[in-house]
Amino acid sequence: MSVTLPAGSGRMAGVVRRQGALAVLLAVVVVSLALFPGFRSLDNAGTILVAAAPPMLIALGMTFVIITGGIDLSVGSLYVLGGVVAAWASPYGFVAALAAPLLLCGAIGVLNGVLISRTGMAPFIVTLAALLGARGLMRSISDEGSTTYLVENDAFHRLGTGSLLGVGIQVWLTAVLVALGVVLLNRTRFGHAVQAIGGSEDAAALMGLPVRRIKVGVYLLSGLLAGLAGAINAAKLGSGVTVLGGGMELDAIAAVVIGGTLLTGGSGSIAGTVAGVLLLGVLQNLINQNGDVNSNWQQVISGAFLAAVVVAQTYLARARRTRSP
């Protein structure tokens, strides 16, 4: 069945796709401020931002991966592994606690990128194998999860619990990295190459872009940010918890897609991802405030949002193709 839109609708469709998550987020916040007194406090706003910091970092890396047309299923396991390794290394100092998870998770990200770009294997398969491998490595380090390493460095612990101007240090750190991500995606040759590869890998190669290196770069970035998110979470909790992180990769994918990034690659924005993560965080916060609603409903709502966005993307893409000569 063909779909016909009036003149100017193509531009409007693009605006809806890019800004839809932000509009929904603003609507949810306005309604929540009016209906939920507990939502209005600054402490609650701080709670939402602190809780959103690790998912934001993971979703930031996932945005680059998905724009290239790929997917990274290993980030949830890298998040847990990063936290355990950071806590394990914390007795050796602040630098060790931060560097160890970055080196390990970054190396796994590079391995993902090399396998995907050199062998042509599907990102789904490669990162699924990395998911299992990272999870097995985490269990090995923690004696099947029976050993919980405590954070034994005060400076590193303050990274997750301290604040600056009333805002958590991890929130400031996340904001800086998000800003750098915006610049990297929109103002650098690397970012332009990422978008070109997602639009058409063959065309990008014909243009002389280093497709393989760019792909390795985005999976390295994804691994580093997942490991950093895990380290920050360990600093906040004071230990490397082994039971967290299940489904984090799916939450990140959902936030990125809800934010308007196309699953087929080639188009997306960091701002949309920020809106997607905050939208899911606000919904989780509202559910937590309402004791009558099971927290599992957050997953149901996230899934409903994701399905609606994918349907809308499909509809808009089909409509724009219909209008194209």
Side-chain angles (χ1 to χ4, degrees):
M1 181 180 68
S2 65
V3 181
T4 303
L5 292 181
S9 57
R11 181 180 301 176
M12 181 61 68
V15 172
V16 170
R17 180 176 59 79
R18 292 191 298 271
Q19 308 298 339
L22 178 60
V24 174
L25 172 63
L26 293 176
V28 171
V29 169
V30 170
V31 172
S32 301
L33 289 172
L35 299 181
F36 299 97
F39 186 81
R40 301 168 189 164
S41 69
L42 289 177
D43 287 343
N44 188 58
T47 299
I48 293 174
L49 292 177
V50 168
M56 189 77 76
L57 292 174
I58 295 175
L60 177 60
M62 187 69 78
T63 303
F64 282 85
V65 171
I66 291 181
I67 289 178
T68 64
I71 201 81
D72 190 349
L73 299 180
S74 67
V75 290
S77 293
L78 294 182
Y79 170 74
V80 184
L81 177 63
V84 171
V85 171
W88 171 81
S90 63
Y92 302 99
F94 179 90
V95 174
L98 199 55
L102 293 181
L103 288 173
L104 181 57
C105 295
I108 294 174
V110 169
L111 181 60
N112 283 337
V114 169
L115 289 174
I116 291 168
S117 62
R118 294 285 179 177
T119 68
M121 295 172 64
F124 174 85
I125 299 298
V126 173
T127 58
L128 179 61
L131 178 156
L132 298 173
R135 187 177 299 171
L137 184 57
M138 180 274 294
R139 288 177 176 168
S140 176
I141 294 173
S142 63
D143 298 327
E144 297 293 332
S146 61
T147 299
T148 300
Y149 296 100
L150 301 178
V151 172
E152 299 181 10
N153 182 277
D154 292 339
F156 182 69
H157 193 34
R158 282 196 294 276
L159 181 65
T161 58
S163 64
L164 179 64
L165 301 176
V167 179
I169 292 176
Q170 58 179 298
V171 176
W172 287 110
L173 176 62
T174 301
V176 169
L177 292 174
V178 167
L180 291 175
V182 172
V183 174
L184 182 64
L185 181 62
N186 300 303
R187 301 293 182 186
T188 67
R189 295 180 63 181
F190 175 83
H192 295 159
V194 166
Q195 298 177 63
I197 291 170
S200 173
E201 188 171 325
D202 292 338
L206 290 174
M207 292 167 59
L209 295 177
V211 174
R212 290 178 176 175
R213 275 190 290 164
I214 296 297
K215 282 190 170 183
V216 172
V218 296
Y219 284 96
L220 166 62
L221 185 63
S222 182
L224 287 174
L225 289 172
L228 178 61
I232 288 177
N233 194 56
K236 181 177 72 173
L237 299 177
S239 64
V241 181
T242 60
V243 296
L244 299 177
M248 288 284 288
E249 62 281 349
L250 301 181
D251 291 340
I253 294 169
V256 172
V257 176
I258 288 172
T261 296
L262 295 178
L263 266 175
T264 51
S267 178
S269 72
I270 304 298
T273 295
V274 171
V277 172
L278 290 178
L279 176 60
L280 297 181
V282 167
L283 293 174
Q284 178 66 63
N285 182 267
L286 292 174
I287 290 173
N288 290 341
Q289 289 191 32
N290 191 337
D292 296 332
V293 180
N294 190 303
S295 61
N296 292 324
W297 277 99
Q298 195 267 341
Q299 301 294 329
V300 177
I301 296 172
S302 300
F305 265 107
L306 180 60
V309 169
V310 172
V311 169
Q313 286 184 354
T314 303
Y315 170 80
L316 293 172
R318 187 180 302 167
R320 295 173 73 177
R321 284 198 299 270
T322 302
R323 285 196 55 80
S324 300

